[in-house]
Amino acid sequence: QARETLQSALDRKLNTNVAKNILFFLGDGMGVTTYTAARILKGQLQNQSGEDTVMTMDTFPHVGLAKTYSVDFQIPDSAATATAYLCGVKTNLNVIGVNAAARNGVCRTQKGNEVTSILKWAKDAGKSVGVVTTTRVQHATPATTYAHSASRKWYSDADMPDSAKKDGCTDIASQLIKNIDIDVIIGGGRKYMTPRGTKDPEYPWDFSSRGKRRDGRNLIQEWQSMKTGKVAHYVWNKTDFDAVDPETTNYLMGKSLFEPGDLQYEADRDPILDPSIVETTEKAIRILQKNPKGFFLLVEGGRIDQAHHAGQAYMALHEAIAFDKAIAKGLELTKDEETLTIVTADHSQPLTFNGFPFRGQSILGKSPLWATDMLPYTTLMYGNGPGNKIINGKRPDIRNVTTNYIQFSAVPMKSTTHSGEDVAVLARGPMAHLFSGVQEQNYIAHAMAYAACVGTDMRHCQSESLPPLGHSTFSTDWNGSGVTFN
């Protein structure tokens, strides 16, 4: 097997094409430990031992590491990291789409420090663009594709202090329909789009699901009116979602949507009511790929991170497996010759994998070795989080506990913090070899843009598009995304 793998590596040829499409898969909180544990669980769910299971991610030929720290913190959050890998600029904790001159929660520092994302660069280059997430579409990762905000928490105007509004800042939800003409938007977060008190169509009895906006705006209706003359669909349930024909659809706002806030965990999802991340990814690609100039699509497995924050490895690993299936669907619908596919994480989580379990032992089970307090412990544990339950100086006895539980944590906290180790970056397709080595996280945006000839660095497509030397000059449009020929 090793010799076959070696020969495969020797036979590999670099793909130096210009990337027509970019498929960017972001596993929020999917550190290497989560990646490894999900691989094992995937196999074990298929009645295999699991350790030698091959994830779709495992088939990517080029792998690197990204350093995730932010400008002001050793360990980052999803806002600072998203600004790095989407906008190409490292920044501070809790801010999105702005550089490090902006300060968390201080509106006046936002002005003049906005940075644009690769989604905008792709749109300016004539490509179709989309965002698919399992969180609310106003959450840090998806929001960074289109918004600029001194606080990632300004989901709607109701979440903003009066001082920020007075200084001219706007909420993230309102920027969703204003800043960039996004072709496909799929995720949760509809309560941030509707006026305060608006009953949710799916949960009309639930007050927490009702509209939050204090300005009286219905952003969903505004989005629909902006698309007059186009085939634009707003859907919030699976029946309507399934009825959307990608071949005739120009715009889709879905799931925003499908839930008032974040979507259901994959393990809890009702397949009759809610489409999977595989289904939403497929629908997005089929709509976007009609553009002859190609597309950029961000697909976020956002609830991997949220499950980890709750100390629930079971939920997190099932989210990661569903995410891997979405990656497989993306590869099935596109061609390596023209599509650069990237898989990475924004940051890791304090999940540990320990204890000398036997080969094939349940990844969600317990180590065969007991601790010095003569009690068992799980193979997966957290460095901190809600799972710390020391009672009278003793850990809980989990001999009769099933695998779907909150794993023990060393330090008691209501929610886990992130962890700061490097994250994997996996790539295949045109110029995928650029993603090898250990790089700063903000390098990712620049490498993707170079491969696809979007943004300001157009060197990769000059050899194909420029006339012979001496017949033309060109200048780069630094405010846009193209090369201007003279």
Side-chain angles (χ1 to χ4, degrees):
Q1 184 187 43
R3 286 197 297 269
E4 290 174 358
T5 303
L6 171 62
Q7 194 58 49
S8 176
L10 292 170
D11 293 341
R12 187 180 301 145
K13 291 180 173 57
L14 296 184
N15 180 343
T16 58
N17 297 340
V18 172
K20 175 183 176 182
N21 312 310
I22 300 176
L23 261 177
F24 188 86
F25 289 93
L26 191 284
D28 200 315
M30 191 185 71
V32 173
T33 306
T34 301
Y35 180 1
T36 305
R39 177 193 297 130
I40 295 173
L41 179 59
K42 177 183 177 181
Q44 293 181 345
L45 291 173
Q46 300 169 348
N47 296 317
Q48 301 167 358
S49 68
E51 295 84 2
D52 56 352
T53 298
V54 177
M55 298 276 273
T56 300
M57 291 181 272
D58 296 341
T59 66
F60 283 49
H62 300 281
V63 184
L65 293 173
K67 305 175 187 178
T68 64
Y69 66 89
S70 66
V71 170
D72 54 348
F73 279 79
Q74 196 172 74
I75 296 178
D77 74 326
S78 295
T81 52
T83 304
Y85 60 73
L86 289 172
C87 303
V89 176
K90 286 221 174 197
T91 191
N92 299 319
L93 217 68
N94 292 323
V95 302
I96 59 173
V98 290
N99 63 33
R103 293 289 178 265
N104 178 25
V106 184
C107 171
R108 64 179 181 273
T109 66
Q110 181 181 313
K111 305 288 179 63
N113 293 315
E114 297 90 349
V115 291
T116 55
S117 76
I118 189 169
L119 180 139
K120 185 179 189 307
W121 309 341
K123 187 69 178 184
D124 289 347
K127 298 182 185 295
S128 294
V129 296
V131 175
V132 172
T133 180
T134 55
T135 67
R136 67 204 80 175
V137 296
Q138 303 87 359
H139 210 256
T141 301
T144 304
T145 63
Y146 60 84
H148 314 283
S149 181
S151 174
R152 60 176 288 183
K153 297 179 181 179
W154 292 347
Y155 302 124
S156 77
D157 64 323
D159 301 307
M160 299 179 66
D162 291 338
S163 59
K165 297 176 189 176
K166 184 178 179 180
D167 287 340
C169 286
T170 56
D171 63 277
I172 294 167
S174 66
Q175 293 185 57
L176 171 62
I177 68 169
K178 177 185 177 183
N179 289 2
I180 305 173
D181 187 24
I182 304 175
D183 302 274
V184 176
I185 306 162
I186 301 178
R190 60 183 173 237
K191 67 181 179 181
Y192 305 110
M193 310 286 283
T194 55
R196 190 175 186 179
T198 303
K199 289 185 178 181
D200 187 81
E202 190 172 4
Y203 311 106
W205 62 88
D206 183 7
F207 283 90
S208 65
S209 298
R210 294 186 175 181
K212 290 175 62 71
R213 302 198 65 83
R214 292 179 177 174
D215 57 10
R217 295 175 66 186
N218 187 317
L219 300 181
I220 296 169
Q221 292 179 357
E222 289 185 28
W223 178 85
Q224 290 172 315
S225 65
M226 291 165 64
K227 300 298 181 273
T228 302
K230 302 284 187 179
V231 181
H233 298 288
Y234 165 73
V235 297
W236 61 266
N237 59 71
K238 191 172 187 297
T239 301
D240 291 344
F241 175 82
D242 290 342
V244 172
D245 182 0
E247 296 304 315
T248 60
T249 299
N250 303 120
Y251 293 92
L252 174 63
M253 180 182 280
K255 279 180 128 187
S256 235
L257 11 206
F258 281 109
E259 293 291 332
D262 302 315
L263 305 191
Q264 299 291 330
Y265 282 122
E266 177 63 21
D268 294 336
R269 181 180 63 85
D270 185 337
I272 297 175
L273 299 176
D274 297 309
S276 67
I277 188 174
V278 177
E279 294 171 292
T280 54
T281 298
E282 177 174 7
K283 187 80 75 174
I285 292 174
R286 290 194 184 279
I287 292 172
L288 298 175
Q289 67 186 178
K290 299 195 302 291
N291 187 337
K293 291 186 178 181
F295 66 85
F296 171 87
L297 175 63
L298 166 68
V299 179
E300 183 199 20
R303 301 219 71 190
I304 301 170
D305 183 64
Q306 293 177 345
H308 277 317
H309 278 301
Q312 294 181 289
Y314 175 96
M315 292 294 190
L317 299 188
H318 277 83
E319 290 294 308
I321 293 170
F323 179 67
D324 192 64
K325 291 178 181 177
I327 296 168
K329 179 57 69 173
L331 297 182
E332 175 190 324
L333 296 171
T334 57
K335 299 176 182 178
D336 266 3
E337 295 78 34
E338 63 180 18
T339 303
L340 171 63
T341 305
I342 304 293
V343 179
T344 188
D346 47 359
H347 54 75
S348 187
Q349 279 273 357
L351 182 70
T352 65
F353 180 15
N354 67 109
F356 292 115
F358 297 113
R359 178 74 185 272
Q361 187 168 330
S362 171
I363 188 66
L364 293 165
K366 308 170 186 73
S367 170
L369 300 178
W370 285 27
T372 54
D373 59 4
M374 299 309 294
L375 291 172
Y377 59 93
T378 55
T379 300
L380 298 175
M381 295 191 294
Y382 290 92
N384 59 49
N388 182 285
K389 296 176 181 176
I390 302 293
I391 301 173
N392 296 326
K394 293 184 178 180
R395 295 187 299 120
D397 187 344
I398 59 171
R399 278 176 288 187
N400 298 317
V401 176
T402 59
T403 55
N404 186 5
Y405 44 62
I406 296 177
Q407 270 77 9
F408 184 81
S409 67
V411 177
M413 297 189 73
K414 291 181 179 180
S415 172
T416 66
T417 66
H418 297 160
S419 58
E421 69 269 25
D422 297 351
V423 294
V425 184
L426 306 103
R428 60 187 295 163
M431 305 305 290
H433 56 282
L434 295 178
F435 297 89
S436 301
V438 181
Q439 311 290 352
E440 295 287 357
Q441 195 169 37
N442 62 308
Y443 165 82
I444 296 171
H446 295 271
M448 288 193 294
Y450 178 88
C453 291
V454 300
T456 57
D457 190 345
M458 307 295 286
R459 289 175 294 168
H460 183 41
C461 47
Q462 284 173 21
S463 59
E464 296 182 11
S465 61
L466 288 180
L469 192 64
H471 289 253
S472 175
T473 61
F474 67 93
S475 59
T476 305
D477 174 12
W478 289 99
N479 294 318
S481 301
V483 171
T484 303
F485 291 92
N486 301 311

